[in-house]
């Protein structure tokens, strides 16, 4: 079954700065109230739950951090190059079993 959709207009994209009265959440803020922002155009509105607001704050916090720990990576490279790095197979196996147990419920 197919449906033909006519008369669609492309949505207007606005930056967060253009929405008047927007509230900015911070990581750790209370998530018991929804945050609402109304656009300049009548009828358009945005309502975020406390969880969504918290996730946005977490995403902002994580986006400012490096993707990996450069000093630790460098230390591991040096240990591997010098031959002093040792693999602890028992620790790896234990963590794999812990992860498996958590994934199974």
């Amino acid at each position: 079954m197919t449906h033909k959709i006519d008369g669609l207009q492309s949505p207007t994209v606005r930056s967060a700065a253009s929405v008047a009265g927007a509230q900015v959440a911070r990581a750790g803020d209370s998530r018991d109230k929804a945050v609402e922002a109304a656009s300049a155009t009548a009828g358009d509105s945005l309502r975020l739950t406390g969880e969504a607001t918290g996730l946005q704050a977490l995403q902002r916090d994580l986006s400012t951090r490096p993707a990996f720990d450069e000093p630790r990576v460098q230390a591991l490279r040096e240990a591997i190059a010098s031959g002093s790095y040792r693999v602890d197979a028992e620790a790896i196996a234990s963590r794999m079993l812990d992860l498996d147990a958590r994934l199974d419920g």
Side-chain angles (χ1 to χ4, degrees):
M1 174 183 245
T2 60
H3 296 283
K4 184 176 180 182
I5 301 174
D6 290 329
L8 291 179
Q9 298 175 353
S10 62
T12 304
V13 178
R14 287 178 226 99
S15 70
S18 68
V19 179
Q23 298 175 2
V24 177
R26 305 268 185 245
D29 285 354
S30 173
R31 297 180 183 160
D32 56 351
K33 287 193 323 188
V35 176
E36 296 185 29
S39 70
T41 309
D44 290 344
S45 66
L46 173 68
R47 184 172 191 261
L48 298 177
T49 64
E51 286 297 317
T53 304
L55 288 173
Q56 284 182 336
L58 180 60
Q59 182 180 19
R60 280 192 303 275
D61 289 347
L62 291 175
S63 68
T64 62
R65 296 182 183 183
F68 57 93
D69 186 357
E70 182 62 37
R72 181 160 187 212
V73 170
Q74 187 59 34
L76 287 171
R77 283 184 181 151
E78 291 170 5
I80 291 169
S82 70
S84 63
Y85 181 75
R86 299 287 180 245
V87 175
D88 186 354
E90 190 171 316
I92 293 171
S94 176
R95 287 184 181 180
M96 289 176 70
L97 290 172
D98 290 344
L99 176 62
D100 185 56
R102 284 186 287 171
L103 292 175
D104 282 343

